[in-house]
Amino acid sequence: MKIVVVGKGGREHALAKKLKESSLVTELWVCPGNPGMAQAGISCAPFESPEMIERFCLENKVSLVVVGPEAAILSDLKKNLEAQGIPCFAPSRAVAELESSKLFCKGILHDAQVPTAKCVVSYTTADAVLAVEKHDFSSPLVVKADGLAQGKGVWVCESRAKAVEAVETLGTQFGYPLLLEECLIGKELSAFALCDGKDFVLLGTACDYKRITPDPFSANTGGMGAYSPCDFISQEDEQTIRDIFAKTLTCLEAKKMPYQGFLFAGLMKTDKGIYVLEYNVRMGDPETQALLPRIKTDLLKLIVSAVTHELKNQACELSKKASVHVVAVSQGYPQTQMLLGNPISYPEKANLVSDLYFAGVSEKQNHLVNSGGRVLGVTALADSIQAARAQAYQDMRKISFEGMYMREDIGL
Ligand code: AMP
Ligand code: GLY
């Protein structure tokens, strides 16, 4: 099979590497990919727009397209490819509203009877302020914008004054409706399912580190590292997570919006059970780089089964080993002013125990340089999280570029 993976980050590097292990693959390209992937032996084709990707797929007789980022999922890519008879593993734009509208997501969670935080929806500032007044602040109030907000649309507010400020800021920046939610206290995790519209296979769990430093009030990022599996998830919890996915898929199917693609549940394990915070309609970045190296089952075979609606009774076998993924970012990230364009020094593959995944890199005079916020990451697999952590950091010390920064507590 000839495969195209769409995207250019560390997540797509990990997806491409895993899919290439499949006996079904004859050729695989990443569109557009990045020069780091290319140096690691993955073919990249420099096409990013849906039209260019479609043309490339037709010219090269591509048999399946696997989409990474939500921007491509929300584009016409899937519709256009399918119109040309090329299967595209991604949810439809209609059901992708699960990620792009928190209100839509809440409605589905409610109808599917999946536990989620209690929530009031406000369509005007007056309504929202009234809802803030009614909250007693014995626990914080979470104020959320409805649409995609690049990590800036959620404020967890400990006081009434803060909540009013959140309403004013989010209402002005992103408009209405706003969601005002009960604050769930517990441990956060990400769970991933591969879905065929009706059935699904649970891929596994991972925990990511969203803040730039260990300070929980420091700036939000795309993700500074991850480990897998989540060590606080019991067998019973895993069954609860399966039930959550099953109920959600059944509800979506009943609404004539069958979900096919990767489904990412952002979950909170509280002392009252597991709640869904949000759904994303894609794999997580960097959770993918932590989870995929643990997958032993042929991932491409699972995706092909999903596309042909034959996932029932299939399973994904995971290595018993734990993984830790550490991300290196450019100086200045997550602000827009960053120190970029500096050569990256990294050892030959044989001198690294971990897998190396590239994200924000470009090529200058045959040399890789950092060109984005999240630049690269390494994933180590070992018998324990502690051992994987030690290995990942040992390998990270062999990599450098001017201004390189990483968190030191991934997997701690
Ligand atoms: P979301 O975009 O809904 O996932 O929110 C972003 C982050 O805000 C989550 O990863 C949580 O850390 C936090 N968050 C969102 N909703 C809640 C909630 N109801 N209770 C506690 N934390 C929340
Ligand atoms: N790591 C979180 C995300 O991909 O949204």
Side-chain angles (χ1 to χ4, degrees):
M1 287 180 83
K2 294 185 179 182
I3 309 291
V4 158
V5 174
V6 175
K8 58 184 173 187
R11 168 182 53 202
E12 287 76 27
H13 190 166
L15 262 171
K17 181 169 188 286
K18 179 51 72 178
L19 294 179
K20 270 189 85 172
E21 290 170 9
S22 170
S23 56
L24 297 179
V25 172
T26 51
E27 266 182 287
L28 181 146
W29 299 268
V30 184
C31 290
N34 68 52
M37 295 182 199
Q39 284 202 9
I42 292 171
S43 305
C44 296
F47 306 116
E48 210 161 356
S49 73
E51 298 73 30
M52 298 291 273
I53 295 173
E54 186 190 333
R55 187 178 327 156
F56 177 81
C57 291
L58 283 171
E59 282 172 7
N60 291 280
K61 301 194 166 36
V62 166
S63 12
L64 174 69
V65 174
V66 178
V67 185
E70 73 265 28
I73 291 169
L74 293 171
S75 76
D76 285 331
L77 182 64
K78 180 184 171 80
K79 195 176 72 170
N80 293 355
L81 287 169
E82 289 182 347
Q84 300 284 357
I86 302 171
C88 178
F89 185 62
S92 67
R93 188 149 57 180
V95 76
E97 256 205 283
L98 267 187
E99 176 165 354
S100 57
S101 166
K102 293 194 191 301
L103 190 57
F104 176 82
C105 183
K106 273 282 171 199
I108 297 294
L109 290 169
H110 181 262
D111 292 351
Q113 299 187 343
V114 167
T116 185
K118 283 198 203 86
C119 162
V120 173
V121 184
S122 300
Y123 290 88
T124 63
T125 311
D127 266 5
V129 170
L130 203 64
V132 171
E133 307 261 298
K134 281 192 186 153
H135 190 73
D136 69 4
F137 287 91
S138 56
S139 62
L141 183 66
V142 184
V143 183
K144 295 186 175 185
D146 176 48
L148 293 175
Q150 292 182 323
K152 296 186 169 56
V154 177
W155 288 37
V156 179
C157 308
E158 313 244 343
S159 70
R160 188 161 283 125
K162 192 80 189 166
V164 170
E165 189 190 337
V167 163
E168 283 165 356
T169 310
L170 293 177
T172 308
Q173 234 173 333
F174 302 108
Y176 284 80
L178 293 179
L179 287 78
L180 287 84
E181 240 179 58
E182 140 196 52
C183 185
L184 299 171
I185 309 293
K187 287 188 169 164
E188 223 177 309
L189 71 140
S190 308
F192 299 92
L194 193 152
C195 313
D196 74 357
K198 192 182 183 71
D199 296 301
F200 70 97
V201 161
L202 184 67
L203 295 178
T205 59
C207 287
D208 83 339
Y209 291 68
K210 292 196 166 104
R211 304 285 165 174
I212 187 76
T213 74
D215 174 357
F217 297 103
S218 64
N220 215 0
T221 72
M224 297 296 291
Y227 69 89
S228 174
C230 298
D231 47 355
F232 51 86
I233 291 300
S234 64
Q235 294 264 317
E236 195 187 340
D237 291 334
E238 194 175 304
Q239 190 51 49
T240 305
I241 294 171
R242 285 179 196 277
D243 293 343
I244 287 173
F245 280 124
K247 283 181 178 172
T248 306
L249 292 191
T250 302
C251 175
L252 289 169
E253 200 197 1
K255 289 180 188 289
K256 306 261 180 296
M257 282 186 283
Y259 190 99
Q260 184 198 81
F262 293 113
L263 183 56
F264 165 170
L267 304 171
M268 186 77 89
K269 181 176 173 176
T270 73
D271 56 12
K272 292 203 198 85
I274 295 182
Y275 288 68
V276 175
L277 289 175
E278 62 164 352
Y279 276 121
N280 294 311
V281 296
R282 53 184 172 78
M283 291 297 288
D285 188 341
E287 290 98 324
T288 302
Q289 296 91 304
L291 178 59
L292 259 44
R294 296 185 54 237
I295 292 183
K296 290 171 120 179
T297 306
D298 185 326
L299 185 64
L300 183 57
K301 285 189 181 162
L302 289 178
I303 293 177
V304 169
S305 299
V307 168
T308 53
H309 309 283
E310 291 168 319
L311 265 187
K312 199 174 169 67
N313 298 327
Q314 299 215 38
C316 177
E317 193 193 343
L318 288 177
S319 158
K320 296 271 176 284
K321 292 195 175 189
S323 67
V324 169
H325 178 76
V326 180
V327 176
V329 303
S330 299
Q331 186 177 315
Y333 179 76
Q335 314 303 326
T336 42
Q337 280 275 3
M338 292 184 280
L339 187 61
L340 301 179
N342 289 305
I344 302 165
S345 149
Y346 62 99
E348 298 272 318
K349 197 173 171 203
N351 295 327
L352 277 184
V353 177
S354 308
D355 287 337
L356 175 56
Y357 297 115
F358 288 103
V361 296
S362 53
E363 212 158 20
K364 204 159 87 182
Q365 289 149 4
N366 282 332
H367 222 93
L368 282 189
V369 298
N370 66 320
S371 59
R374 292 189 290 174
V375 178
L376 54 85
V378 300
T379 302
L381 242 64
D383 290 335
S384 66
I385 291 181
Q386 292 71 20
R389 178 185 140 70
Q391 186 61 61
Y393 279 102
Q394 192 179 325
D395 278 332
M396 208 45 139
R397 308 273 173 237
K398 300 176 188 162
I399 300 171
S400 63
F401 55 91
E402 199 185 334
M404 172 172 146
Y405 167 77
M406 66 187 132
R407 272 180 67 157
E408 299 288 340
D409 62 328
I410 309 299
L412 258 191

